[in-house]
Amino acid sequence: EVGIGTYNIVFTASDGVNTNASCTLQIVVGDNQGPSLTCPSDKVIDTDADSNAVASPTWSAATASDNSGESLTPTSDYAAGTAVVLGSPLTVTYSATDSSTNSGTCNFTVSARDRQSPTITNCPSDQSLSTGTATAAFSYAAIACSDNSGACNVVPGSNAGLSQFPIGATTVGYT
């Protein structure tokens, strides 16, 4: 078995009286197999703090091997640190081409995950009310929220929407 390249095999015939004849067989072994690449596994990373739902991932470069034995350095369409937006996964593709112009690729996906809690605004402080009747009136501004993902809903919980409160402690909940 021979490797990739060109080989000349010379056959010589002799008749014993110093006359010879020869012929040459040329064997060309070509490379038609692309490099084999190994990419990192898919990644899910947390959004950056105060980033408006953007993550800045890092990853190790892909590796490549080739049947020719040559050393290959894969290139990528995105660099580590490229911003990934929540809800818009990034597919990173690495490729390498050997000296016979055969190429190989691999890819992986980087997704952002939101682990930051929303911020509740207009949350009133605890109140102590006095009344001469069985209930006391109290009104408060609408509860609102904000989140780095842009999606935030205030869900009324227990006793939400009351404007008349009975004597005693009443907890009004929102999530």
Side-chain angles (χ1 to χ4, degrees), residues 78-152:
Y78 293 102
T82 299
V84 178
V85 178
L86 187 63
S88 298
L90 179 71
T91 299
V92 179
T93 301
Y94 275 90
S95 61
T97 303
D98 65 19
S99 59
S100 296
T101 68
N102 301 307
S103 60
T105 62
C106 68
N107 58 57
F108 65 100
T109 302
V110 182
S111 301
R113 169 180 53 206
D114 180 13
R115 291 264 175 111
Q116 296 179 44
S117 297
T119 302
I120 295 176
T121 55
N122 296 333
C123 188
S125 59
D126 292 345
Q127 301 289 315
S128 291
L129 307 173
S130 297
T131 183
T133 63
T135 61
F138 179 71
S139 62
Y140 48 91
I143 307 299
C145 67
S146 62
D147 189 64
N148 66 324
S149 70
C152 189

Side-chain angles (χ1 to χ4, degrees), residues 57-83:
T58 59
W59 60 79
S60 299
T63 58
S65 61
D66 191 60
N67 62 334
S68 68
E70 65 187 288
S71 177
L72 301 174
T73 302
T75 57
S76 175
D77 54 350
Y78 293 102
T82 299

Side-chain angles (χ1 to χ4, degrees), residues 4-63:
I4 297 167
T6 302
Y7 301 91
N8 292 314
I9 301 173
V10 177
F11 297 95
T12 304
S14 175
D15 61 5
V17 288
N18 291 333
T19 56
N20 298 323
S22 65
C23 71
T24 302
L25 168 65
Q26 186 177 67
I27 298 176
V28 178
V29 178
D31 177 10
N32 63 359
Q33 182 178 351
S36 175
L37 278 76
T38 302
C39 270
S41 299
D42 290 347
K43 298 177 74 74
V44 178
I45 58 168
D46 295 340
T47 54
D48 300 335
D50 303 320
S51 68
N52 295 324
V54 174
S56 301
T58 59
W59 60 79
S60 299
T63 58

